Amino acid sequence: MTKSRRFSEDGIPQGFLASGPHTYKSRGVARVDRDPAAPADVWLLDVRGEFDRDTLPCLRAALDDAYAANAERIALDLSGVTFGDSSFLNELLQADRRPGTLLLIGPFTGQIRRLFELTRADMVLTLVPDRDSAGLT
């Protein structure tokens, strides 16, 4: 039996909408939740876990929903991201090129901070230290 690349070893689809319109999960190690208490013009997404090519679809699905809703401002709270590889960084860079404003909110873990610094993505992406600095408290 041949499995699509969109399915994990156990046959669970990656990046599926898990439990309602505000939660996106990938196999329990990556999760994105939309904060419904955020201002109406902002899609505030809490991003948690480890992100690589296998778990990235849940972030991509959340971002696609935000763009489909014509969000003018998307804020990703990355304070809960414990790992991100080059595919994670590429997804952030692609999202930054789309219409609207993309904010990446910390505090960032050491690994994520190093990823941004070593690739110089911190010179391209809009990084803010916390929700207060983003005006989202």
Side-chain angles (χ1 to χ4, degrees):
M1 178 171 126
T2 305
K3 292 185 180 172
S4 165
R5 288 179 35 193
R6 293 184 183 181
F7 289 82
S8 66
E9 295 285 322
D10 55 8
I12 298 173
Q14 297 295 297
F16 62 98
L17 189 61
S19 57
H22 300 296
T23 300
Y24 307 81
K25 293 181 185 178
S26 285
R27 297 192 67 215
V29 297
R31 178 182 178 120
V32 179
D33 294 298
R34 181 174 181 206
D35 186 342
D41 66 330
V42 178
W43 267 61
L44 176 56
L45 300 172
D46 286 313
V47 185
R48 305 271 179 256
E50 300 175 4
F51 287 87
D52 59 22
R53 71 177 186 91
D54 292 329
T55 59
L56 198 58
C58 68
L59 176 60
R60 187 172 300 128
L63 287 169
D64 286 346
D65 284 353
Y67 288 114
N70 295 316
E72 293 180 23
R73 190 170 167 210
I74 300 172
L76 301 179
D77 184 337
L78 301 181
S79 62
V81 176
T82 56
F83 175 80
D85 70 358
S86 60
S87 60
F88 173 70
L89 179 60
N90 186 50
E91 189 68 30
L92 297 176
L93 291 168
Q94 286 182 21
D96 189 56
R97 291 185 195 118
R98 293 177 82 169
T101 301
L102 178 71
L103 295 174
L104 305 180
I105 302 169
F108 307 105
T109 62
Q111 191 271 330
I112 298 301
R113 187 173 48 256
R114 282 190 301 279
L115 177 68
F116 291 155
E117 290 170 355
L118 289 173
T119 60
R120 302 192 60 95
D122 59 341
M123 306 299 279
V124 176
L125 298 169
T126 304
L127 308 178
V128 293
D130 51 41
R131 286 188 184 202
D132 286 338
S133 300
L136 295 171
T137 53

